[in-house]
Amino acid sequence: GLNFIDLMVRQGNIDNPPKTPLVPGFECSGIVEALGDSVKGFEIGDRVMAFVNYNAWAEVVCTPVEFVYKIPDDMSFSEAAAFPMNFVTAYMMLFEVANLREGMSVLVHSAGGGVGQAVAQLCSTVPNVTVFGTASSFKHEAIKDSVTHLFDRNADYVQEVKRISTDGVDIVLDCLCGENTGKGLSLLKPLGTYILYGSSNMVTGETKSFFSFAKSWWQVEKVNPIKLYEENKVIAGFSLLNLLFKQNRGGLVKAVMDKLLNLYTNKKIKPVVDSLWALEEVKEAMQRIHDRGNIGKLILDVEKAPTPLMANDSTET
């Protein structure tokens, strides 16, 4: 699976990037080829999906057993590679951090992306949840059924949301970082939760200088704790990779994965796969995410042969 974090890794926009040479990628699906001596619960030949701390974009991947999950019989390998990051992130933000319940409202940015689509599907499993989404206007036709109210990502969504819901929303999920923090907090109802889970605005140009990187952080609004107290608002952050690989919460993630696979089996959720790419086409695939051309998830498929390109522009292709 390709994720926005992979673009940040490529551009060096993350804490302590690993030394090169480096194989990127944090999630994959495939068939078990070999087991460690003490591994229980899996057999060679099992169809599985897994989280990996880098090195996922490869023909053979090695990862500890606690990050590996069996794929349901009716799930394809491409769906399985699209499943772990997006759905676990969406589920944990909505239900573990923000405590989504019946009748609440959620604002999600990049509603057409992998996490955005997972959020929309999970919200539909709870009665009467209103979903406000922002997305590029060319995606609106394709995703309009998945959210309740859809706005152009360049429009003044604060006014649009307030026009529909005067007192704002219960949950704001923000992957944009920076100039949107103040807007997100201003839209929260009392006891509402704002969650920052990514920083896609930090990936702007093809190359990003340290100066422009520092500037994007400099624009992040300062949050005043006293104001949070007076307004009864919650501000939170969520990083699935840190939870898994730095904070040793693999058991918690496994419990969430069990719930998600149950929802999948009951046909309540289904990963949206945008497109499949050969390993050789990783540059074009990354450009498609960079240009925000995708609806759902991009997948690198090691068995796929490269397609002759018809145009240089990834969005057209």
Side-chain angles (χ1 to χ4, degrees):
L2 268 86
N3 293 289
F4 214 94
I5 182 99
D6 297 312
L7 272 70
M8 294 175 66
V9 168
R10 190 188 77 186
Q11 295 194 346
N13 289 353
I14 54 163
D15 241 8
N16 306 321
K19 302 267 185 295
T20 51
L22 152 76
V23 177
F26 297 101
E27 65 182 338
C28 61
S29 65
I31 294 167
V32 176
E33 294 211 349
L35 301 169
D37 294 340
S38 56
V39 169
K40 304 235 181 344
F42 291 94
E43 290 173 16
I44 290 173
D46 280 351
R47 300 167 73 246
V48 295
M49 54 187 150
F51 290 109
V52 198
N53 196 7
Y54 293 100
N55 299 314
W57 297 354
E59 291 165 338
V60 181
V61 175
C62 183
T63 193
V65 67
E66 68 168 319
F67 305 132
V68 183
Y69 317 93
K70 286 188 179 159
I71 301 177
D73 291 342
D74 55 347
M75 188 186 273
S76 67
F77 282 117
S78 55
E79 281 183 330
F83 195 78
M85 282 278 281
N86 293 162
F87 275 96
V88 172
T89 296
Y91 187 96
M92 294 191 83
M93 290 194 300
L94 289 172
F95 297 106
E96 304 275 337
V97 182
N99 198 11
L100 177 68
R101 299 186 299 287
E102 183 173 347
M104 281 188 167
S105 52
V106 179
L107 168 66
V108 61
H109 292 298
S110 303
V115 174
Q117 286 291 289
V119 164
Q121 290 185 26
L122 287 167
C123 285
S124 71
T125 67
V126 180
N128 302 327
V129 170
T130 307
V131 182
F132 299 91
T134 69
S136 308
S137 49
F138 70 88
K139 297 186 185 183
H140 285 200
E141 189 53 38
I143 65 171
K144 66 179 192 302
D145 296 337
S146 64
V147 297
T148 327
H149 304 287
L150 193 53
F151 312 121
D152 186 348
R153 65 183 288 260
N154 297 315
D156 181 0
Y157 61 86
V158 176
Q159 292 313 313
E160 296 283 338
V161 172
K162 288 199 160 155
R163 198 169 49 76
I164 297 163
S165 171
T166 42
D167 54 348
V169 297
D170 295 293
I171 300 168
V172 175
L173 304 177
D174 181 7
C175 58
L176 302 177
C177 176
E179 61 268 32
N180 282 274
T181 307
K183 291 180 182 176
L185 279 170
S186 74
L187 276 174
L188 275 189
K189 292 179 182 177
L191 302 182
T193 306
Y194 165 95
I195 307 175
L196 178 70
Y197 71 93
S199 313
S200 62
N201 271 1
M202 291 199 287
V203 180
T204 52
E206 190 41 42
T207 55
K208 199 149 177 49
S209 69
F210 178 77
F211 179 75
S212 58
F213 179 57
K215 183 166 153 273
S216 72
W217 270 111
W218 191 242
Q219 290 167 343
V220 175
E221 298 213 19
K222 307 294 180 280
V223 175
N224 180 341
I226 307 289
K227 204 163 169 231
L228 288 177
Y229 153 79
E230 288 171 348
E231 295 179 356
N232 279 307
K233 290 180 178 177
V234 179
I235 185 164
F238 183 78
S239 159
L240 177 56
L241 294 175
N242 285 352
L243 202 65
L244 280 168
F245 302 124
K246 288 185 180 166
Q247 296 154 348
N248 303 321
R249 293 295 190 277
L252 175 61
V253 172
K254 182 167 186 357
V256 167
M257 200 67 168
D258 290 343
K259 291 175 186 164
L260 285 166
L261 290 173
N262 196 21
L263 285 169
Y264 176 86
T265 310
N266 290 319
K267 304 211 169 4
K268 294 278 200 311
I269 58 174
K270 187 176 175 63
V272 180
V273 175
D274 174 80
S275 45
L276 299 179
W277 303 75
L279 283 178
E280 294 87 342
E281 297 170 322
V282 66
K283 173 177 178 280
E284 290 80 8
M286 282 189 135
Q287 191 64 41
R288 183 167 168 81
I289 294 188
H290 189 292
D291 297 341
R292 296 181 163 84
N294 58 305
I295 292 167
K297 189 70 164 247
L298 279 80
I299 302 291
L300 291 178
D301 184 347
V302 292
E303 293 182 343
K304 186 177 183 300
T307 313
L309 289 180
M310 308 302 291
N312 291 331
D313 182 337
S314 66
T315 335
E316 286 173 35
T317 316

